Amino acid sequence: MYVVPDQTGKTVVVTGANSGTGKEAARRLSAAGARVVMAVRTPAKGEQAREELLAENPRALLEVRRVDLADLTSVREFAEGILARGPLDLLVNNAGVMAPPTRMTTADGFELQFGSNYLGPFALTLRLLPALLAAPAPRVTTMSSGTANYGRIHFDDLQWERRRYSANLSYAQSKLADLIFTRQLAAIAAERGWKLLSDAAHPGFTRTNLQSAGASLGRDKPKRSLLNSLSILPSQGVEPGTEPLLHAATSPDATPGVYYGPGGRFGLVGPTAVVRVTRRALDPAVNARLWAESERLTGVSLPAPARTA
């Protein structure tokens, strides 16, 4: 099992920390000494998760704060609260929604998966940059997915308004966007001389409520997503499934722009390894275009670069 290095004195934000990989990340980061802000959409669920983690480790430093990544006003309010605290050492963009059966929209009118899985984390990261850049060795780790390998960025229809909605392809687009965001943020950090490390991870086929929660939206009865309904595929529990994310977030060997995931069968299970980044996330022109479009859609932009004499 991956041993998280000492995190004493560090402040960490983990989105979606009330369940699944987010809760496991909060558990192990706080066990290593970090002060963890559990960023959740439903505070009652966050408080329940916090109490469960405190029952295991009464000395854990855990705080629940509300953020709804499907609402840019909520993202702004959450970020303002974090900025008021001082430096932020680590942002873990973990939360997401998977494969709702019908096209749904965010509070701002974006297609739900593209809005929640990508545009919300994009806006959150940019709003938190002042706190991150005030830390000595800041890091942003973003959760992608193996589905990014067959994702496409449809610049002519990012919100699935013209084409027939596909739950699976929409999810794949959002996760490809997360991977592109990771790469572009790493490139910007290098260009501007920031100490910020931006990397990504995916959990393989990890059994969490993500598979059923999204697929059940708008339905009376729970349903599993087609993406995760094939019982013949190898799968793993939350503890090993969170290890690529924890490695990306804390390992001294992590590298900017690199992608970590399970290195076992079909890339779905096994120990953490560096995994291939799909070529669709390697085109600098496409990556820059998506970034610019994301700034336009969210209304959140990078600070102007510092002038040199």
Side-chain angles (χ1 to χ4, degrees), residues 90-254:
L90 170 64
L91 170 62
V92 180
N93 287 317
N94 164 78
V97 62
M98 184 183 206
T102 59
R103 184 183 181 276
M104 305 175 76
T105 56
T106 69
D108 305 283
F110 306 127
E111 186 275 317
L112 183 61
Q113 295 188 95
F114 192 71
S116 296
N117 297 350
Y118 171 63
L119 290 176
F122 174 91
L124 178 63
T125 303
L126 266 61
R127 288 196 178 277
L128 290 177
L129 273 177
L132 286 160
L133 296 178
R139 196 174 296 201
V140 176
T141 296
T142 300
M143 184 73 96
S144 184
S145 164
T147 62
N149 288 335
Y150 59 81
R152 303 286 191 280
I153 303 298
H154 297 282
F155 285 106
D156 62 336
D157 190 20
L158 290 171
Q159 312 302 335
W160 295 81
E161 295 170 307
R162 301 174 187 173
R163 289 168 297 132
R164 182 179 178 182
Y165 172 76
S166 165
N168 296 338
L169 295 181
S170 172
Y171 181 72
Q173 175 184 248
S174 73
K175 288 302 176 179
L176 173 58
D178 285 332
L179 200 49
I180 288 174
F181 165 71
T182 295
R183 301 274 303 181
Q184 187 66 6
L185 181 58
I188 290 168
E191 177 185 313
R192 297 195 177 193
W194 294 345
K195 296 179 181 179
L196 178 74
L197 191 159
S198 170
D199 61 4
H202 80 83
F205 189 171
T206 295
R207 299 182 297 275
T208 72
N209 66 352
L210 180 67
Q211 290 93 8
S212 60
S216 300
L217 287 173
R219 295 180 182 269
D220 294 329
K221 296 180 180 180
K223 181 180 175 63
R224 288 179 64 82
S225 164
L226 175 63
L227 285 168
N228 292 281
S229 61
L230 299 176
S231 60
I232 60 171
L233 293 176
S235 64
Q236 60 190 3
V238 171
E239 187 174 286
T242 309
E243 298 218 334
L245 185 68
L246 288 168
H247 181 97
T250 66
S251 173
D253 299 325

Side-chain angles (χ1 to χ4, degrees), residues 18-81:
N18 61 286
S19 66
T21 54
K23 182 180 178 183
E24 177 67 10
R27 181 178 76 84
R28 290 165 70 176
L29 288 166
S30 62
R35 180 182 296 274
V36 179
V37 177
M38 303 172 69
V40 300
R41 184 171 60 88
T42 306
K45 292 181 179 179
E47 291 292 350
Q48 180 180 347
R50 176 177 178 271
E51 291 302 317
E52 291 169 359
L53 295 180
L54 286 173
E56 297 178 18
N57 178 14
R59 301 179 66 180
L61 301 174
L62 300 163
E63 175 188 353
V64 174
R65 290 203 175 201
R66 182 181 185 275
V67 65
D68 184 353
L69 293 168
D71 182 345
L72 293 178
T73 297
S74 175
V75 169
R76 174 179 55 79
E77 292 172 348
F78 173 85
E80 288 172 350

